[in-house]
């Protein structure tokens, strides 16, 4: 089969690989029809994530058709069209049984501080991902869901990560009616966080980024007020003034490890790998939220330390909520929103390329060429 | 202003927002939010039909965090550790996730792994292609200039480092080639000059 393969920082290519076998009775093999590149894939692509091995296939956002099932699989059969959450979950551990699928304790031998994610380094379990023609899906009875007939494949694809992650970002903010919500990052997750903030009754939603084309999308897609932090002297002071010096009630960090806005942090984290990620967005979130407010973090950071201004968080009495999204938990409600028409996840897709052009797709996404927000890779099945 | 008791009025009335924004308030009630409260014990909702998963067979000694009691029943089988990078990776797993040594050794192993892969590709007669693998040609097909010029992008302050990193090996190879050629032509000239002198 053809599969995307990591060859080192900033280098990927398509190679011939063996079709993955069933390795556990509850495995399924899925023939991938579409896979997306996530902003967090760029952390791997840039060599930021420890234990990212040459030869690994990335891709934790994918949909496809069940090709083969293990002997104990009950809920899926060959030929089913399925969407697969980005996290792998056993369904029976302490965390899964409490609904926190992203923290499954039975699927990642390499680390206890994170669950397992498809194609996301050995730190996240060492599973090959879905930017390939076939992928092994462990615990087929727990994670995947059959794509409803009325749902488009692209909507389903975006529901495997970006959309529910943004929704959970808003949810963790504990938004109350009339709250002012600031979202750092107008990428896919930030766009969905901003949109979801309205669902939860926000009174104002302000999106911050440095890319005008993304802010324009935030204005159109998420009906948000927008501000380019490059156009103001100090984004924290700007946000204080915009909120009558109170600060925002809720701030969502939808940027994560590769936040721009500080040359020092960009170089020490992204180039020199001396931090687990640039803390710029998180520090701005801590500084621009009001005292006793909530900072919700859905941007992804690496396991190494970052220079976070934790003293400010303590002194301001903040609530900090952070999590990888427990995708499956959010699907029933998000399916309702898609069906009712208030949410159209595929609206954020900007680029569609064949799997063979995976290197170009990564470069376009990484360098933000051609007003890229969300690239999708398709196979020829 | 926060200097007084009242909360500053910032938002338009909810009725206006409901009319203007599709879906405003549909999840206003926390009961409609799927992950509120964060932990909800319901083993029957997961789809699992086991108390503890059957164990996946191990094909090689699988590296694992020493913070785990045992090897998890299911695990990924991509890219077993190999070569010098594999030795470093296995050594890194002697340290817990709490130790910087664990992560720094793994990052070091990642870099060694890249060198190993390059050499392996070279020796196999199919060297890596910087042009194809970096996707750099999309700069020409997807508006590399248009996407940057005239735009206030914060990442432009450090993107030049990537460009330098991409070009540096070519400059180094060209520099070495130039020096060798120059040395060769100097040598020829000296030999020629000596020959003339003898005549």
């Amino acid at each position: 089969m053809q599969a995307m393969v990591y060859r080192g920082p900033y280098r990927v290519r398509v190679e011939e690989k063996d079709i993955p076998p069933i390795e556990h009775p509850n495995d399924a093999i899925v023939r991938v029809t579409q896979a997306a590149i996530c902003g967090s894939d760029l952390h791997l692509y840039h060599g930021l994530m420890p234990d990212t091995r040459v030869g690994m296939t990335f891709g934790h956002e994918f949909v496809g058709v069940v090709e083969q099932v293990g002997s104990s699989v009950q809920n899926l059969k060959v030929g089913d069209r399925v969407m697969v959450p980005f996290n792998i979950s056993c369904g029976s551990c302490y965390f899964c049984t409490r609904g926190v699928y992203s923290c499954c304790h039975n699927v990642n031998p390499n680390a206890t501080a994170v669950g397992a994610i498809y194609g996301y380094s050995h730190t996240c379990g060492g599973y090959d991902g879905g930017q390939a023609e076939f992928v092994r899906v462990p615990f087929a009875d727990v994670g995947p869901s059959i794509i409803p007939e009325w749902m488009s494949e692209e909507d389903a694809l975006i529901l495997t990560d970006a959309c529910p992650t943004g929704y959970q970002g808003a949810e963790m903010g504990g938004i109350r009616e009339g709250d002012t919500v600031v979202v750092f990052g107008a990428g896919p997750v930030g766009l969905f966080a901003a949109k979801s903030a309205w669902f939860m009754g926000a009174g104002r939603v302000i999106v911050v980024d440095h890319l005008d084309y993304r802010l324009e999308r935030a204005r159109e897609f998420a009906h948000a007020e927008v501000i380019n932090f490059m156009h103001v002297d100090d984004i924290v002071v700007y946000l204080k003034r915009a909120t009558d010096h109170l600060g925002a009630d809720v701030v969502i960090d939808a940027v994560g490890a590769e936040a721009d806005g500080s040359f020092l942090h960009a170089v020490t984290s992204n180039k020199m790998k001396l931090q687990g990620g640039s803390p710029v967005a998180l520090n701005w979130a801590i500084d621009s939220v009001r005292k006793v407010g909530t900072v919700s973090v859905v941007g992804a950071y690496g396991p190494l330390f970052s220079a976070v201004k934790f003293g400010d968080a303590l002194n301001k009495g903040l609530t900090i909520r952070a999590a990888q999204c427990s995708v499956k938990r959010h699907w029933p409600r998000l399916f309702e929103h898609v069906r009712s028409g208030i949410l159209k996840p595929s609206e954020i897709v900007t680029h569609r390329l064949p799997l063979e052009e995976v290197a170009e797709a990564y470069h376009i996404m990484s360098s933000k060429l051609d007003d890229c927000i969300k690239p999708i890779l398709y196979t020829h099945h | 202003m926060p200097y007084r008791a009242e909360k500053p009025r910032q938002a338009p009335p909810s009725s206006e927002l409901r009319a203007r924004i599709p879906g405003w308030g549909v999840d206003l009630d926390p009961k409609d939010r799927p992950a509120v409260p964060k932990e909800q014990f319901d083993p029957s909702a997961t789809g699992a039909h086991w108390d503890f998963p059957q164990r996946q067979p191990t094909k090689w000694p699988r590296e694992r965090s020493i913070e785990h009691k045992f090897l998890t029943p299911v695990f990924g089988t991509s890219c077993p550790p190999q070569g010098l990078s594999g030795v470093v990776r296995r050594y890194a797993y002697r340290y817990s996730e709490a130790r910087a040594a664990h992560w720094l050794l793994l990052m070091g192993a990642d870099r060694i792994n890249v060198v190993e892969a390059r050499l392996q590709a070279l020796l196999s007669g199919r060297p890596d292609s910087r042009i194809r693998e970096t996707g750099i040609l999309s700069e020409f097909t997807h508006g590399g200039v248009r996407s940057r010029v005239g735009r206030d992008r914060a990442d432009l302050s450090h993107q030049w480092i990537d460009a330098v990193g991409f070009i540096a090996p070519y400059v180094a190879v060209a520099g070495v080639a130039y020096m060798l050629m120059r040395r060769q032509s100097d040598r020829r000239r000296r030999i020629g000059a000596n020959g003339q002198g003898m005549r």
Side-chain angles (χ1 to χ4, degrees):
Chain A
M1 68 162 184
Q2 287 200 315
M4 167 273 178
V5 160
Y6 174 69
R7 293 296 299 172
Y10 296 86
R11 286 183 177 208
V12 296
R13 72 183 183 200
V14 171
E15 276 183 13
E16 278 297 319
K17 279 180 126 177
D18 292 338
I19 294 175
I22 297 276
E23 303 207 41
H24 180 274
N26 211 250
D27 279 359
I29 303 301
V30 168
R31 180 160 41 88
V32 177
T33 50
Q34 292 185 18
I37 298 177
C38 177
S40 61
D41 282 329
L42 298 181
H43 309 332
L44 301 171
Y45 179 67
H46 295 156
L48 259 176
M49 191 70 178
D51 215 351
T52 301
R53 303 181 187 177
V54 173
M56 183 173 230
T57 297
F58 299 166
H60 54 269
E61 301 180 3
F62 58 90
V63 293
V65 178
V66 176
E67 180 79 8
Q68 197 184 347
V69 291
S71 58
S72 80
V73 174
Q74 298 176 0
N75 299 338
L76 296 181
K77 60 181 188 313
V78 172
D80 283 342
R81 271 192 339 142
V82 287
M83 50 203 289
V84 182
F86 74 84
N87 17 52
I88 300 167
S89 321
C90 75
S92 59
C93 69
Y94 180 93
F95 304 102
C96 286
T97 52
R98 284 158 179 79
V100 192
Y101 295 102
S102 63
C103 289
C104 178
H105 214 62
N106 274 329
V107 286
N108 182 3
N110 298 74
T112 58
V114 60
I117 300 173
Y118 290 97
Y120 210 81
S121 81
H122 276 67
T123 295
C124 293
Y127 297 85
D128 273 327
Q131 289 165 9
E133 290 184 294
F134 295 91
V135 60
R136 171 194 171 208
V137 173
F139 295 114
D141 283 335
V142 178
S145 172
I146 293 173
I147 301 173
E149 281 191 8
W150 50 266
M151 187 183 285
S152 78
E153 210 165 71
E154 280 193 4
D155 281 336
L157 177 61
I158 305 304
L159 279 163
T160 60
D161 181 353
C163 177
T165 296
Y167 183 90
Q168 184 171 313
E171 192 184 46
M172 289 192 302
I175 296 166
R176 288 180 291 190
E177 186 169 355
D179 273 356
T180 295
V181 178
V182 169
V183 180
F184 280 101
V189 170
L191 292 173
F192 287 116
K195 194 157 182 93
S196 304
W198 293 124
F199 294 169
M200 293 170 202
R204 287 178 77 189
V205 178
I206 305 169
V207 176
V208 182
D209 204 297
H210 66 104
L211 297 167
D212 282 326
Y213 74 89
R214 290 189 172 204
L215 290 170
E216 192 51 39
R217 188 61 69 96
R219 199 197 314 267
E220 290 165 7
F221 174 79
H223 309 279
E225 299 170 49
V226 298
I227 179 68
N228 184 329
F229 67 76
M230 294 291 283
H231 296 170
V232 294
D233 273 348
D234 184 324
I235 188 63
V236 172
V237 174
Y238 174 88
L239 291 169
K240 288 283 170 66
R241 286 182 184 149
T243 54
D244 205 7
H245 293 273
L246 179 66
D249 299 292
V250 176
V251 180
I252 300 168
D253 170 6
V255 182
E258 301 195 49
D260 270 301
S262 158
F263 182 77
L264 175 72
H265 285 307
V267 170
T268 54
S269 62
N270 305 347
K271 308 297 178 202
M272 299 169 76
K273 330 290 184 199
L274 296 175
Q275 297 193 70
S278 159
V280 176
L282 185 51
N283 286 339
W284 282 345
I286 288 169
D287 285 334
S288 56
V289 73
R290 68 169 163 81
K291 287 177 187 145
V292 210
T294 300
V295 172
S296 168
V297 187
V298 281
Y301 290 88
L304 264 178
F305 29 73
S306 293
V308 177
K309 298 177 70 182
F310 210 78
D312 286 359
L314 167 83
N315 294 327
K316 291 175 77 170
L318 302 185
T319 297
I320 296 185
R321 297 280 311 273
Q324 296 275 0
C325 179
S326 292
V327 173
K328 188 183 166 175
R329 193 174 188 180
H330 292 93
W331 273 351
R333 187 66 179 157
L334 291 172
F335 283 16
E336 286 176 29
H337 292 342
V338 175
R339 191 154 206 190
S340 71
I342 60 172
L343 183 64
K344 179 73 179 155
S346 57
E347 278 180 26
I348 64 153
V349 175
T350 52
H351 291 70
R352 295 166 181 83
L353 295 102
L355 179 62
E356 298 84 61
E357 292 179 26
V358 69
E360 286 74 20
Y362 267 88
H363 185 78
I364 291 165
M365 175 74 159
S366 170
S367 298
K368 312 288 183 290
L369 301 186
D370 203 21
D371 293 353
C372 181
I373 293 176
K374 188 72 172 173
I376 281 182
L377 301 165
Y378 56 85
T379 61
H380 295 293
H381 293 302
Chain B
M1 296 230 291
Y3 307 98
R4 296 184 185 280
E6 315 83 57
K7 187 174 181 182
R9 174 113 198 120
Q10 296 175 12
S14 296
S15 55
E16 186 190 318
L17 291 168
R18 187 175 278 114
R20 184 164 62 86
I21 294 165
W24 186 90
V26 289
D27 293 331
L28 182 57
D29 186 342
K31 285 186 198 132
D32 289 325
R33 302 178 189 180
V36 178
K38 180 163 66 173
E39 295 184 44
Q40 300 167 42
F41 185 68
D42 186 5
S44 66
T46 68
H49 39 89
W50 47 81
D51 290 330
F52 182 78
Q54 193 175 324
R55 287 189 170 277
Q56 173 183 333
T58 48
K59 294 174 184 162
W60 64 84
R62 184 66 166 75
E63 65 283 5
R64 69 172 172 88
S65 165
I66 58 170
E67 293 180 47
H68 266 303
K69 184 175 183 180
F70 44 63
L71 182 67
T72 55
V74 166
F75 47 85
T77 52
S78 172
C79 307
Q82 287 176 344
L84 177 61
S85 63
V87 172
V88 178
R89 288 191 207 285
R90 288 193 190 285
Y91 187 74
Y93 280 94
R94 290 184 182 187
Y95 296 97
S96 80
E97 298 156 60
R99 305 275 292 273
H102 174 73
W103 301 112
L104 294 172
L105 282 166
L106 287 174
M107 296 283 272
D110 291 347
R111 301 291 96 85
I112 295 168
N113 192 193
V114 171
V115 175
E116 288 172 334
R118 292 275 183 283
L119 289 175
Q120 207 172 8
L122 201 62
L123 293 175
S124 71
R126 289 184 304 158
D128 287 78
S129 163
R130 283 171 67 81
I131 301 292
R132 271 190 292 123
E133 289 173 5
T134 55
I136 194 78
L137 294 180
S138 59
E139 287 284 337
F140 305 105
T141 57
H142 286 76
V145 174
R146 168 169 46 88
S147 303
R148 295 187 178 89
V149 172
R151 299 197 182 195
D152 283 336
R153 290 175 48 162
D155 53 344
L156 295 182
S157 71
H158 56 78
Q159 270 195 3
W160 61 269
I161 298 174
D162 301 335
V164 169
F166 185 84
I167 293 165
Y170 294 111
V171 173
V173 169
V176 169
Y178 174 74
M179 278 168 56
L180 289 174
M181 281 164 59
R182 200 169 154 180
R183 193 176 293 177
Q184 189 74 11
S185 72
D186 283 354
R187 210 169 133 201
R188 274 202 202 116
R189 208 177 304 133
R190 242 180 289 133
I191 290 169
N194 287 346
Q196 264 181 352
M198 279 169 76
R199 237 182 282 151

